[in-house]
Amino acid sequence: MKKILIANRGEIALRIMKTAQKMGIKTVAVYSEVDRHSPHVTFADEAVLLGKAPSSESYLVMEKVIQAAKSTGAEGIHPGYGFLSENAIFAQMVEDQGLIFIGPRPHAIQVMGNKLAAKEAVKDYNIPMVPGIEEAITDVVLAKKIAKEIGFPILIKASAGGGGKGMRVVENIESLSEQMERAIGEAEAAFGDGSVFIEKYVSSPRHIEIQVLADTHGNVVHLFERECSVQRRHQKVVEEAPSVVLTPAIREAMGEAAVKVAKACDYVGAGTVEFLLDEDKNFYFLEMNTRLQVEHPVTELISGIDLVEQQIKVARGEKLAFRQEDLKINGHALEIRVYAEDPLENFMPSIGTLHTYKKPKGIGIRLDDGFEEGMEVPIYYDPMLSKLITYGKDREEAIQLMIGAIEQYKIEGVATTLSFGKFVCEHEAFKSGNFDTHFVKNYYAPEKLKKQYAEEKKIAALVGLQLFLKDQKQLKTPATLTSNWQKSRK
């Protein structure tokens, strides 16, 4: 491939383009009217307007994206993440038009895109799964019967879901009917598919995912784990690699299970197998994400592997140039997602102009973003501004680098989650590694952040006063002193 089109926007489009450029591959950007002057558009070799700002009129219009690739002579399409990245119909359309889809085959996307189909695909591979049913239901009477069998609390999950939509934790049988109806309604609204299934709710889980990479020659490896347990509203906000709680034996077992999942659907390219880890360190298969993950930089840093480069090489039909035994974990990486959201107002989206946008820099600091000072933060898309990643020789160093990088990062014009990221990194539960997916619920409240703000302001004021008094003392000249200049005048 000498030219590829990136069917995405913002930081991920820019990140893919940088690797393509490093490989000597020309890039084509697509954009909506509101993204006309975005960095990913100006960085690309060519750019094609797709349509108006709403994604339904631009980034999600498959025919327009494919036509943009064909009109510019692009041979392949990289979908990034979000938008069309896990759309099996789009992947098939790309192939049908004689183009290369830089991702898995349509069949793998289709199978793993449905949680029930995914469980069915891997059931013969002896992979641990959370107790529950493996078929979609809408019958409340049947749901009550199943819930009694597996025991409360239970989790109702949308079969076609993601991002916490169509998901309900049910503590008792009295609330089951109402919660099930809500889950079905939310799933229908979000995914056009109201099917749900029931499984045992793991009460204090950690969210661990394994990065896999597979070529078209039957080679599959894993690139170790990422810890993604700090979440709000079932969405990840802080990720790290490796996990602080995995033993080498558990890491190896989870890695082997992830490779089996990939083989179960004839996977090709980069993908992620997600697991829940309970208090006793038992792990259970959750789902597979058939795309590049938002948090992929932490894996790149500890493994030394450029995942986008590998995606492109696999799409070109090349064999993986390394085996499982060649891969080692080096150091520790940490990532926070910086959203244009107000952590003091229940993480409500914050829209506006980036009047100040000063990026952190330094050894061990990486910033993947798609914004510049003076740009508007549009209301039409995900409010993530950037991903701030730090890398150190160990976890302590990565955390301290992150705190320093957050303090360097200056953003004015919109509220951001930078202060929340700092709150997490400075919290004893996080620093000790003793946390789970309930971190936000158990430890965070806007009042705590406000208290932290007040303490920081007080410290800043005291430091300022001390510096002022020190300067005043240095400026004072004793009246009895006679200078050499005065002596020379006598």
Side-chain angles (χ1 to χ4, degrees), residues 78 104 127 143 224 440:
H78 195 306
I127 295 169
F224 314 109
V440 173

Side-chain angles (χ1 to χ4, degrees), residues 111-112 114-124 129-134 157 197-199 285-286:
V111 170
M112 289 299 162
N114 183 294
K115 291 181 176 65
L116 290 176
K119 288 189 174 189
E120 178 67 23
V122 305
K123 71 177 184 180
D124 295 330
M129 286 187 269
V130 179
I133 60 165
E134 297 176 15
K157 297 174 75 173
F197 64 101
I198 294 173
E199 63 184 26
F285 170 65
L286 189 61

Side-chain angles (χ1 to χ4, degrees), residues 396-470:
E396 268 186 36
E397 184 177 354
I399 291 173
Q400 290 308 310
L401 278 169
M402 179 61 74
I403 293 169
I406 290 171
E407 290 173 347
Q408 274 193 62
Y409 209 166
K410 304 300 180 188
I411 302 176
E412 294 177 4
V414 298
T416 76
T417 54
L418 280 170
S419 57
F420 171 74
K422 187 179 179 187
F423 173 87
V424 173
C425 290
E426 292 180 335
H427 199 282
E428 187 54 38
F430 182 76
K431 289 193 293 184
S432 68
N434 185 25
F435 61 93
D436 55 35
T437 55
H438 303 306
F439 178 92
V440 173
K441 182 175 74 174
N442 291 341
Y443 302 116
Y444 174 74
E447 292 72 29
K448 292 182 179 180
L449 202 54
K450 288 175 183 175
K451 183 181 178 182
Q452 183 174 300
Y453 280 161
E455 288 174 353
E456 287 176 353
K457 286 180 179 178
K458 183 179 178 181
I459 291 169
L462 289 171
V463 170
L465 178 61
Q466 188 178 21
L467 290 172
F468 173 77
L469 293 174
K470 185 179 179 182

Side-chain angles (χ1 to χ4, degrees), residues 5-18:
L5 179 142
I6 293 83
N8 219 295
R9 64 180 297 276
E11 62 87 16
I12 187 57
L14 196 57
R15 183 262 169 278
I16 294 165
M17 288 174 189
K18 287 177 180 178

Side-chain angles (χ1 to χ4, degrees), residues 238-393:
V238 179
E239 299 105 346
E240 61 180 310
S243 169
V244 71
V245 294
L246 291 199
T247 63
I250 296 173
R251 176 174 294 116
E252 184 177 355
M254 291 182 80
E256 289 175 358
V259 168
K260 287 179 181 178
V261 171
K263 289 180 176 179
C265 64
D266 298 319
Y267 199 80
V268 169
T272 298
V273 183
E274 304 201 355
F275 297 94
L276 288 181
L277 188 76
D278 69 16
E279 292 172 287
D280 299 318
K281 292 190 171 61
N282 300 306
F283 64 87
Y284 306 98
F285 170 65
L286 189 61
E287 63 182 335
M288 184 177 193
N289 289 311
T290 56
R291 54 171 167 79
L292 196 66
Q293 292 279 88
V294 174
E295 58 273 19
H296 76 273
V298 294
T299 294
E300 293 184 323
L301 289 170
I302 67 158
S303 68
I305 302 292
D306 184 327
L307 288 171
V308 173
E309 181 181 9
Q310 294 304 315
Q311 284 185 298
I312 294 171
K313 286 184 174 181
V314 166
R316 292 195 304 207
E318 297 180 30
K319 286 185 179 181
L320 296 179
F322 42 83
R323 298 167 299 178
Q324 190 64 57
E325 54 266 33
D326 298 324
L327 298 168
K328 299 287 185 293
I329 295 174
N330 293 302
H332 199 97
L334 182 65
E335 172 180 303
I336 69 164
R337 303 188 189 189
V338 183
Y339 287 97
E341 295 177 341
D342 191 347
L344 298 179
E345 297 294 335
N346 197 31
F347 296 98
M348 288 292 290
S350 178
I351 307 302
T353 302
L354 298 174
H355 297 300
T356 300
Y357 191 72
K358 305 298 181 187
K359 305 179 185 185
K361 296 178 182 178
I363 296 171
I365 297 173
R366 168 175 165 176
L367 186 71
D368 286 12
D369 71 346
F371 283 90
E372 293 174 347
E373 194 165 275
M375 285 181 63
E376 293 279 337
V377 179
I379 197 171
Y380 304 98
Y381 315 115
D382 184 273
M384 189 171 74
L385 297 176
S386 66
K387 301 178 312 197
L388 180 57
I389 311 107
T390 55
Y391 175 73
K393 65 180 182 296

Side-chain angles (χ1 to χ4, degrees), residues 24-39:
I25 298 170
K26 298 289 186 182
T27 57
V28 179
V30 289
Y31 62 97
S32 68
E33 289 179 351
V34 75
D35 282 338
R36 187 179 297 274
H37 302 294
S38 292

